[in-house]
């Protein structure tokens, strides 16, 4: 039985692990390769999970918005994909539910040798980018049957549902939140939750991220 089914059945507190915000990969001693994720949705989900009495941990990228003081105590910060992987290795075994909202790098750059700073005077610089490990796919592959892993798919609206279903299946997830590209940096979201059994729950359009967090947790982890 999945943790969310247990939660629905017993209304007991769950151990919920949430990741949010961007990874930052060093290019040289001072520069970073990162993305525009603000972490707002993950912060909203963590706040709502705490409000509902769940044992909550938020892994939050350093480039994200600052967490409100109410969730600081459950928050651990990461920089690179490698940092996030280490934190997940440490915290996932004790989690009933992972909500993987972090915008993890798809590519990790080869760094300038010896931690030096690239100079403009060296002329054009070519970056070599290596594919990053897929953290959520690795976790889903080794999770225990009672653990639930939920990923996110951020895609252009026209291909969103199709691409989200592909990702859900390729990464071996229990469910995936499908949301269009303009969710990034916005305070609102129009999204649906697609389950591995093919069921699709669609939230009302253009919810605040706080309202969407409550909608999502109603489905994944109702109040104890
Ligand atoms: O592959 P894509 O980035 O589109 O998939 C998004 C989902 O996969 C998110 O849940 C994200 O946290 C996760 N992901 C990951 N490791 C990566 C890239 C994405 O866990 N290297």
């Amino acid at each position: 039985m999945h943790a969310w089914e247990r939660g629905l059945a017993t209304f007991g507190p769950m151990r919920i692990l949430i990741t949010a915000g961007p990874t930052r990969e060093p290019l040289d001693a001072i520069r970073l390769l990162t993305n525009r994720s603000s972490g707002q949705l993950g912060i909203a989900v963590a706040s709502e999970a705490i409000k509902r009495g769940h044992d909550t941990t938020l892994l939050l990228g350093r480039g994200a918005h600052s967490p409100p003081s109410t969730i600081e105590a459950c928050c651990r910060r990461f920089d690179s994909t490698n940092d996030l992987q280490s934190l997940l290795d440490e915290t996932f075994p004790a989690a009933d539910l992972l909500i993987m909202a972090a915008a993890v790098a798809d590519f990790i750059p080869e760094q300038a040798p010896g931690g030096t700073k690239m100079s403009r005077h060296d002329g054009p610089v070519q970056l070599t980018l290596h594919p990053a490990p897929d953290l959520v796919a690795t976790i889903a592959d080794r999770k225990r049957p009672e653990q639930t892993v939920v990923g996110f798919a951020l895609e252009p609206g026209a291909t969103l549902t199709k691409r989200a279903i592909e990702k859900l299946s390729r990464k071996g997830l229990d469910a995936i939140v499908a949301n269009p590209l303009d969710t990034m940096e916005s305070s609102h979201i129009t999204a649906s939750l697609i389950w591995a059994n093919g069921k699709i729950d669609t939230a009302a359009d253009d919810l605040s991220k706080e309202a969407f967090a409550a909608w999502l947790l109603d489905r994944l982890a109702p109040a104890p």
Side-chain angles (χ1 to χ4, degrees):
M1 184 190 280
H2 283 121
W4 66 271
E5 289 171 310
R6 185 177 61 75
L8 283 171
T10 65
F11 294 95
M14 295 170 72
R15 293 165 301 177
I16 304 183
L17 178 60
I18 300 148
T19 71
T23 52
R24 307 198 298 193
E25 307 300 331
L27 282 164
D28 67 7
I30 58 160
R31 299 182 180 93
L32 299 167
L33 185 68
T34 185
N35 61 67
R36 286 163 33 210
S37 170
S38 65
Q40 286 178 91
L41 182 58
I43 290 172
V45 173
S47 301
E48 183 66 26
I50 288 172
K51 219 191 305 171
R52 293 178 182 214
H54 295 295
D55 178 354
T56 306
T57 302
L58 173 65
L59 308 180
L60 184 64
R62 281 198 199 281
H65 286 193
S66 296
S69 56
T70 44
I71 64 166
E72 251 168 23
C74 79
C75 181
R76 298 180 65 181
R77 305 305 289 262
F78 62 82
D79 257 308
S80 65
T81 301
N82 198 32
D83 293 341
L84 177 56
Q85 180 151 33
S86 303
L87 284 172
L88 282 168
D89 287 344
E90 184 189 325
T91 52
F92 180 68
D96 298 313
L97 167 66
L98 169 64
I99 300 179
M100 188 78 182
V104 186
D106 290 318
F107 296 99
I108 297 180
E110 247 174 46
Q111 283 183 55
T116 50
K117 180 186 163 207
M118 289 181 284
S119 166
R120 190 160 26 101
H121 304 297
D122 296 340
V125 172
Q126 237 176 352
L127 296 176
T128 304
L129 304 175
H130 297 282
D134 192 322
L135 304 187
V136 80
T138 307
I139 283 206
D141 188 46
R142 62 172 196 228
K143 79 183 179 73
R144 300 187 303 275
E146 74 279 10
Q147 290 179 300
T148 301
V149 176
V150 179
F152 276 68
L154 188 71
E155 294 285 338
T159 50
L160 177 59
T161 305
K162 181 172 171 283
R163 296 292 303 270
I165 290 169
E166 276 165 19
K167 278 182 201 185
L168 170 72
S169 145
R170 176 163 33 90
K171 294 175 189 257
L173 306 173
D174 295 299
I176 196 159
V177 175
N179 57 149
L181 282 182
D182 56 11
T183 301
M184 212 172 219
E185 292 180 311
S186 165
S187 58
H188 285 66
I189 177 168
T190 296
S192 55
L193 179 65
I194 306 176
W195 296 91
N197 66 8
K199 182 171 175 270
I200 302 183
D201 292 330
T202 304
D205 281 358
D206 212 27
L207 289 178
S208 69
K209 287 189 175 170
E210 290 71 23
F212 181 77
W215 179 89
L216 185 63
L217 287 183
D218 282 345
R219 276 139 196 91
L220 298 173

